[in-house]
Amino acid sequence: MVNIVVLISGSGTNLQAILDCLPHHRTSTPLPAAPALQLPESVRISGVISNKSNVYGLDRAKQCDPPIPTKVTALKTYLNRNPGSTRQDWELELSRTVNSFQPDLIVLAGFMMILSPTFLNNINAKPIINLHPALPGAFDGAHAIERAFEAYKEGKITKTGCMVHYVIPEVDRGEPIVIADVDILPTDTLDSMETRIHETEWKIIVQGVKKVLNV
Ligand code: GAR
């Protein structure tokens, strides 16, 4: 089996986009759009890890048939339970949790924590990829979609996009794997532009997985 470990922080629509392309998992919460791509039978998601409890992405994994193992590793909870521990300790704990699912590929799909070399160096040299809702170098970090919309209104950009890239210590700066442009229309609201970006993300996350696994 080829194991993917997915890290999330929220609703997990991009986790779902991968699930919808995996014949191995029957899912009860598919995305509205039928997937255009399929992943081979040999690929599965061996674990889903969230840094937040009570997020819908965890339910998506649990409601699969067969269910996908999940784990919550929240920074604040970890620090409270381990007096004197640091964020670096939490990252080590997170890397151990990831490794326990024996990943061949680690996918950050809406995982909203920055990971330092403490995590990256402890991941058994497996590729780590991230989905980011902006074009390379354009709006690194949080609230990229909102910042792109503001920049459009100020006449600074005419289009935006999203990308899947390798993870390096510099946030959202790793080598791009898949890049997709997303038009911004004069009639767009933040919501309508955001919807178009998300629908594009659901495609490129699967393209990125396929490319990195070479399947
Ligand atoms: C996605 O739009 C993803 O690009 C973004 O979080 C959202 C997660 O949605 N990630 C980042 O902004 C990371 N810098 P989801 O939980 O429905 O998959």
Side-chain angles (χ1 to χ4, degrees):
M1 277 320 248
V2 176
N3 289 337
I4 304 174
V5 175
V6 183
L7 274 62
I8 60 166
S9 301
S11 67
T13 59
N14 291 285
L15 162 68
Q16 188 69 54
I18 303 171
L19 281 170
D20 289 351
C21 298
L22 286 171
H24 187 76
H25 302 286
R26 264 202 310 279
T27 168
S28 53
T29 53
L31 293 174
L37 295 171
Q38 280 290 303
L39 288 155
E41 194 83 40
S42 56
V43 178
R44 67 168 181 178
I45 296 179
S46 59
V48 171
I49 301 168
S50 174
N51 68 309
K52 288 187 177 167
S53 53
N54 300 322
V55 292
Y56 189 57
L58 289 168
D59 296 333
R60 292 179 189 275
K62 289 176 194 164
Q63 286 165 16
C64 273
D65 179 18
I68 296 172
T70 62
K71 195 95 199 226
V72 176
T73 312
L75 173 60
K76 224 174 178 172
T77 313
Y78 179 85
L79 295 177
N80 286 338
R81 282 193 190 148
N82 299 279
S85 63
T86 62
R87 188 194 162 104
Q88 305 293 300
D89 297 325
W90 171 76
E91 286 198 43
L92 281 175
E93 170 74 8
L94 181 65
S95 69
R96 283 192 289 267
T97 306
V98 170
N99 288 334
S100 74
F101 290 120
Q102 300 179 313
D104 297 295
L105 169 66
I106 298 143
V107 179
L108 310 185
F111 186 66
M112 302 308 280
M113 302 293 285
I114 292 172
L115 296 170
S116 77
T118 302
F119 175 87
L120 302 177
N121 294 337
N122 265 287
I123 225 67
N124 297 342
K126 298 300 176 192
I128 310 176
I129 66 175
N130 178 49
L131 176 69
H132 184 61
L135 292 170
F139 301 98
D140 301 334
H143 308 299
I145 297 177
E146 290 87 341
R147 286 188 285 139
F149 192 64
E150 281 310 307
Y152 173 77
K153 285 197 298 187
E154 289 164 12
K156 292 180 181 156
I157 58 168
T158 56
K159 64 171 186 181
T160 184
C162 48
M163 65 168 163
V164 177
H165 64 91
Y166 286 104
V167 174
I168 60 171
E170 291 75 31
V171 176
D172 299 323
R173 285 287 161 148
E175 184 197 336
I177 301 159
V178 185
I179 303 169
D181 287 351
V182 174
D183 290 332
I184 309 176
L185 310 177
T187 51
D188 263 336
T189 59
L190 173 62
D191 270 2
S192 63
M193 186 193 86
E194 184 162 355
T195 300
R196 210 173 307 116
I197 292 175
H198 289 319
E199 288 172 354
T200 309
E201 288 188 302
W202 300 340
K203 294 182 187 136
I204 67 164
I205 188 115
V206 178
Q207 291 168 356
V209 166
K210 279 179 82 78
K211 219 166 161 180
V212 173
L213 290 178
N214 199 18
V215 293

